[in-house]
Amino acid sequence: MSDVNKTASVAYDAALEVIGSVEPRIAEATRAELRDQRSSLKLIASENYASPAVLLTMGTWFSDKYAEGTVGHRFYAGCQNVDTVEALAAEHARELFGAPYAYAQPHSGIDANLVAFWSILAHRVESPALERYGAKNVSELSEADWESLRHEFGDQRMLGMSLDAGGHLTHGFRPNISGKMFHQRSYGTDPETGLLDYDRVRAAAREFKPMVLIAGYSAYPRRVNFATMREIADEVGATLMVDMAHFAGLVAGKVFTGDEDPVPHAHITTTTTHKSLRGPRGGLVLATEEYAPSVDRGCPMVLGGPLSHVMAAKAVALAEARQPAFASYARNIADNAKSLAEGFLSRGARLVTGGTDNHIVLLDVTSFGLTGRQAETALLEAGVVTNRNSIPSDPNGAWYTSGIRFGTPALTTRGFGHDEFDTVAELVVDVLRNTTPNATKAGAPSKATYTLADGVADRTKAASAEMLDKHPLYPGLELT
Ligand SMILES: *Cc1c(COP(=O)(O)O)cnc(C)c1O
């Protein structure tokens, strides 16, 4: 690894010199970003560190090529090399996840979900209508038939996990376009245990009869039984879509297998490629043979020209994820999350669901007398990078919140293990115990401002620096 990074140093030095000759401030910001990433305790659950091979792949002339269409069927000339890239990315994805079909074009997780939603609507609303009208595609329809087909969209229903239980905005919530496309209802978690209650999901599905049942989360610290979710979907005739944006690395590394592996159970599985999967910033859609033809129409249905340079980097990252080393990385992610959770619990902190069995730990900071916002800012002041997050039935609402979400993928990439994550828990608890809310003018505790006791930030930073120095990011990579 450090040999590869030594070679990468030469590449980055040269690249920064070229960049700096045009806009030195961008070269300097790029250097500063590396320094910052190296010197902070990154515990944001959705972030990671991609390899230099993945990062370098993104900086090439593939960026300059238009390639709308699909492999071998492009609306532009000269796409033979993009075809190689996209076919390889899809092949690696199919092999890695055991999926019949993979679509590598989505630019992000949200785009992957948009492709999935419109594919489901194309398959379940548009295709039957075309058959009725005796047309092969929408362009063949008369003005009147098209007008009536357009009105068939928008009445469909989606059932997804509620935001405060850990669901995602793109799962049918009003601020996102998905909430305007679908009538949405959400399922929560058990108020006592914080765990998903499949009987409640089933009851909600029976009553609401969604066309799309969506599973997946960005802040739920537990595994999901996707076989049961599929049973529920089948019972009400819903399409099961799983958004594994957060935990794709645990699926790729075979930490989630059997009922916990979404791919064999879902009709459509979407993901980002940059979170636990540790690839470039992007998205991916996996599908059954049944849904493949409609997913294949992602461009032009929802997407424009693919980011060929990013698809190339996806292929490199997926090739990395097929190596045995990635499976041990994925196991370490989950083991480390357990160590972090135990570290919190043994120091008297409260965790949503009482623990974790994935890569996320959700700390309830109300017992420290703080809001999520105060805890997040105080931790940042001490060099610990996390993000605030709602907890079920959050007393402080979606802006201030009452939780802090921790994730282990990034620091696990740096080689942190059990002892380091126990120390992380100790440092976090120390910061939060030494943070007190300021008083508002009216004398009530503020939800936003706080005071961190003197010396705490410094001692936290010193303890972090010691661990970070022992586990350098990109060992051997030195910029001049
Ligand atoms: C992160 C995330 C997304 C969105 O990914 P972007 O690449 O930021 O668009 C979608 N769904 C879930 C569950 C996520 O966690």
Side-chain angles (χ1 to χ4, degrees):
M1 195 53 179
S2 58
D3 281 352
V4 174
N5 289 340
K6 268 204 188 82
T7 312
S9 311
V10 180
Y12 280 115
D13 265 338
L16 288 166
E17 194 180 319
V18 174
I19 295 164
S21 72
V22 180
E23 177 46 289
R25 289 169 295 183
I26 292 298
E28 191 35 53
T30 307
R31 288 173 196 277
E33 182 59 24
L34 179 61
R35 283 195 297 273
D36 290 353
Q37 295 217 15
R38 280 179 155 168
S39 62
S40 62
L41 212 52
K42 192 199 267 202
L43 288 154
I44 293 183
S46 50
E47 292 190 6
N48 211 329
Y49 307 102
S51 71
V54 167
L55 299 177
L56 286 166
T57 306
M58 281 188 280
T60 78
W61 24 93
F62 270 121
S63 175
D64 295 328
K65 191 73 196 96
Y66 244 114
E68 279 174 285
T70 50
V71 176
H73 185 81
R74 305 283 184 187
F75 293 90
Y76 286 80
C79 294
Q80 57 282 357
N81 300 311
V82 178
D83 280 352
T84 303
V85 159
E86 184 171 354
L88 264 174
E91 181 190 314
H92 280 313
R94 287 193 307 271
E95 293 291 328
L96 177 64
F97 292 111
Y101 167 84
Y103 187 62
Q105 291 192 23
H107 312 331
S108 66
I110 194 171
D111 281 359
N113 284 352
L114 272 179
V115 168
F117 296 150
W118 283 111
S119 301
I120 294 167
L121 293 175
H123 185 70
R124 297 196 51 173
V125 179
E126 188 177 294
S127 293
L130 288 175
E131 216 160 285
R132 281 200 312 277
Y133 293 125
K136 274 205 296 293
N137 58 54
V138 284
S139 308
E140 283 183 0
L141 293 177
S142 70
E143 232 11 87
D145 289 348
W146 170 237
E147 200 50 37
S148 103
L149 172 53
R150 281 187 60 232
H151 288 291
E152 289 189 40
F153 294 103
D155 259 346
Q156 291 74 29
R157 295 171 175 201
M158 168 179 285
L159 181 65
M161 194 178 213
S162 70
L163 282 180
D164 70 357
H168 196 263
L169 271 178
T170 59
H171 299 179
F173 292 94
R174 291 178 191 177
N176 181 255
I177 183 80
S178 55
K180 290 139 190 149
M181 290 167 65
F182 291 94
H183 294 287
Q184 198 260 20
R185 212 173 280 176
S186 53
Y187 55 85
T189 45
D190 183 286
E192 292 299 311
T193 62
L195 297 172
L196 243 183
D197 175 348
Y198 298 95
D199 291 338
R200 285 166 197 255
V201 180
R202 192 184 304 273
R206 280 182 183 158
E207 199 211 314
F208 189 52
K209 300 208 171 15
M211 174 180 275
V212 186
L213 175 62
I214 178 160
Y217 52 80
S218 44
Y220 180 65
R222 295 287 175 174
R223 301 182 183 195
V224 174
N225 185 322
F226 296 110
T228 303
M229 291 303 253
R230 175 60 184 260
E231 259 173 46
I232 296 170
D234 284 347
E235 195 187 314
V236 300
T239 301
L240 177 63
M241 173 178 154
V242 177
D243 178 352
M244 62 170 182
H246 250 264
F247 55 88
L250 298 179
V251 178
K254 307 279 184 282
V255 173
F256 292 179
T257 57
D259 292 353
E260 294 165 354
D261 177 352
V263 181
H265 303 293
H267 297 95
I268 296 195
T269 306
T270 59
T271 186
T272 60
T273 45
H274 50 275
K275 298 183 183 176
S276 55
L277 198 52
R278 209 165 63 180
R281 191 155 287 280
L284 199 61
V285 181
L286 308 172
T288 56
E289 298 288 0
E290 184 192 0
Y291 281 87
S294 44
V295 174
D296 225 23
R297 287 158 49 202
C299 164
M301 192 161 52
V302 183
L303 304 171
L307 310 178
S308 304
H309 55 310
V310 180
M311 289 199 295
K314 287 174 194 171
V316 172
L318 291 163
E320 287 177 349
R322 291 182 67 190
Q323 305 283 327
F326 194 87
S328 37
Y329 166 62
R331 278 195 302 276
N332 291 342
I333 290 177
D335 289 347
N336 285 337
K338 280 227 169 6
S339 302
L340 181 63
E342 282 159 16
F344 282 134
L345 293 171
S346 69
R347 291 173 178 87
R350 203 190 88 80
L351 302 179
V352 174
T353 78
T356 177
D357 50 28
N358 57 20
H359 62 297
I360 293 172
V361 174
L362 190 55
L363 178 67
D364 176 348
V365 295
T366 53
S367 62
F368 295 94
L370 301 170
T371 63
R373 183 164 160 94
Q374 287 162 325
E376 175 193 86
T377 323
L379 286 168
L380 187 66
E381 195 181 324
V384 183
V385 189
T386 64
N387 63 282
R388 65 187 188 278
N389 211 101
S390 300
I391 62 172
S393 314
D394 201 306
N396 289 315
W399 175 252
Y400 292 109
T401 79
S402 303
I404 292 287
R405 185 183 67 162
F406 296 87
T408 52
L411 290 178
T412 301
T413 294
R414 289 181 74 142
F416 275 46
H418 171 82
D419 292 351
E420 286 86 356
F421 275 100
D422 184 63
T423 305
V424 169
E426 183 185 324
L427 298 177
V428 167
V429 169
D430 182 41
V431 169
L432 298 182
R433 280 195 184 136
N434 285 291
T435 303
T436 38
N438 294 347
T440 62
K441 275 197 197 109
S446 163
K447 283 178 191 264
T449 62
Y450 65 90
T451 304
L452 178 59
D454 282 347
V456 178
D458 286 344
R459 72 174 179 240
T460 308
K461 282 181 184 162
S464 300
E466 205 175 299
M467 292 191 289
L468 293 168
D469 286 349
K470 239 199 287 175
H471 299 285
L473 175 61
Y474 308 127
L477 195 152
E478 293 300 336
L479 303 182
T480 53

